Amino acid sequence: MAAASVTLPCASSSSASSSSAAASSSLFSRSCSLGHRRFVSYDSRSRAHAPNSVKCDLAEPFKNVNGKPIVPILNERTLPKFLETARMEKTVNRTSTRLKLFSGTANPALSQEIAWYMGLELGKINIKRFADGEIYVQLQESVRGCDVYLIQPTCPPANENLMELLIMIDACRRASAKTITAVIPYFGYARADRKTQGRESIAAKLVANLITEAGANRVLACDLHSGQSMGYFDIPVDHVYAQPVILDYLASKTISSQDLVVVSPDVGGVARARAFAKKLSDAPLAIVDKRRHGHNVAEVMNLIGDVKGKVAVMMDDMIDTAGTIAKGAALLHEEGAREVYACCTHAVFSPPAIERLSSGLFQEVIITNTIPIAEKNYFPQLTVLSVANLLGETIWRVHDDCSVSSIFQ
């Protein structure tokens, strides 16, 4: 059969350099200063795709040194003290470590950033699509006795990327890897976590079973749609949150803490919004009450809380078609909100999300790069933050048998 071959490039090791002053803001003027634990900040040198649009990506193309691609240092700054480790002060000798990173084809840019933070190279892997759509995976280096980390979000096309992850896991298991950790920045099918009507499937549990049976020993996931999804796995799950990354960016804004209000776009996200508000100088909380009449169709009914004259920050785990958050923003403006910011971890952006988000309802739409954003989906209000340092630090802590939860304390 004819095959289209995709061989992923390797990110070479690099070290942090130079220092920069931490941004201060009245957002954290009360009890919630994150000065000692600042995470991944936005890239001020990032390439703009539209006015005020920011993409946290590699600032320039790869350069070749002796035939090997190298990744430029991002931001020309050192990492925050909280995330700096002894590993960043010296180049890791790849031949002396049993930790190996491999990337699928879903989000190779994020994988390269993670590898840069960790001072490692991405492992060599060959992934092909046959003419009939079947997926072929071959590891091009030995992983016998190694701790392998496979970075692959199950973002759209969800079924393709999920199947690719399963085959990658199987390839590592058959190559005698010591442990296999599936690093899933975005866990697809997470919304199908319960039965809301009779005769429905619980696809989140099914996908968890598939990953476990394929041979994964551990899962590292970012901002699962619901916490109970961790219980669907029969293997350990490390659940990390992108909240500190977004908080770090909001801290650079010149917004008075007295003017802030955090808004949950639905009742189901109240716990997430409350935790976010507590970090934002214990800001007040408002809730949008909506009634859903069908999948991807939402209707706003009422607003619980006061937003008049305030800067509203809407927090959710994902934006799909943007129906919920757009109707919520319209209601906030009707109730007198001065500005509305939308924050989420996973930017699924199914049509017509871009039209809704760029319609002028939002002062800024802040997302992370757990899901790659197509060039055509950039609009002036969009800001993309990187979770690479957060995931890279988590991988190191898992590998070293250190605490992961202490990152968020």
Side-chain angles (χ1 to χ4, degrees), residues 11 51 84 98 111 125 158 213 258 334 344 347 354:
E84 284 181 348
R98 309 298 283 180
S111 302
I125 185 171
E213 292 302 318
Q258 303 297 325
E334 291 174 5
C344 84
I354 302 303

Side-chain angles (χ1 to χ4, degrees), residues 50-95:
N52 302 321
S53 177
V54 179
K55 179 180 180 182
C56 283
D57 201 349
L58 298 179
E60 56 188 18
F62 288 147
K63 296 179 180 179
N64 289 326
V65 177
N66 296 328
K68 295 186 67 177
I70 62 170
V71 179
I73 295 175
L74 303 180
N75 297 335
E76 295 295 339
R77 61 172 173 79
T78 57
L79 293 169
K81 290 290 184 182
F82 180 63
L83 282 184
E84 284 181 348
T85 65
R87 302 183 191 88
M88 295 302 296
E89 298 173 2
K90 60 182 180 180
T91 301
V92 176
N93 182 2
R94 177 67 189 270
T95 60

Side-chain angles (χ1 to χ4, degrees), residues 140-213:
Q140 296 187 315
E141 58 184 80
S142 175
V143 296
R144 185 179 297 275
C146 294
D147 296 317
V148 176
Y149 293 81
L150 305 175
I151 306 170
Q152 174 82 339
T154 54
C155 52
N159 298 332
E160 282 278 314
N161 291 328
L162 174 60
M163 194 65 199
E164 184 178 303
L165 174 62
L166 297 176
I167 297 175
M168 290 170 65
I169 294 172
D170 184 69
C172 292
R173 179 175 63 87
R174 296 180 187 279
S176 301
K178 182 180 179 182
T179 62
I180 303 170
T181 300
V183 181
I184 310 176
Y186 170 71
F187 181 65
Y189 289 102
R191 285 173 285 184
D193 57 359
R194 65 191 184 279
K195 292 180 67 172
T196 58
Q197 303 178 51
R199 299 175 296 281
E200 283 186 336
S201 69
I202 303 179
K205 172 59 177 173
L206 172 62
V207 173
N209 288 342
L210 290 171
I211 293 172
T212 303
E213 292 302 318

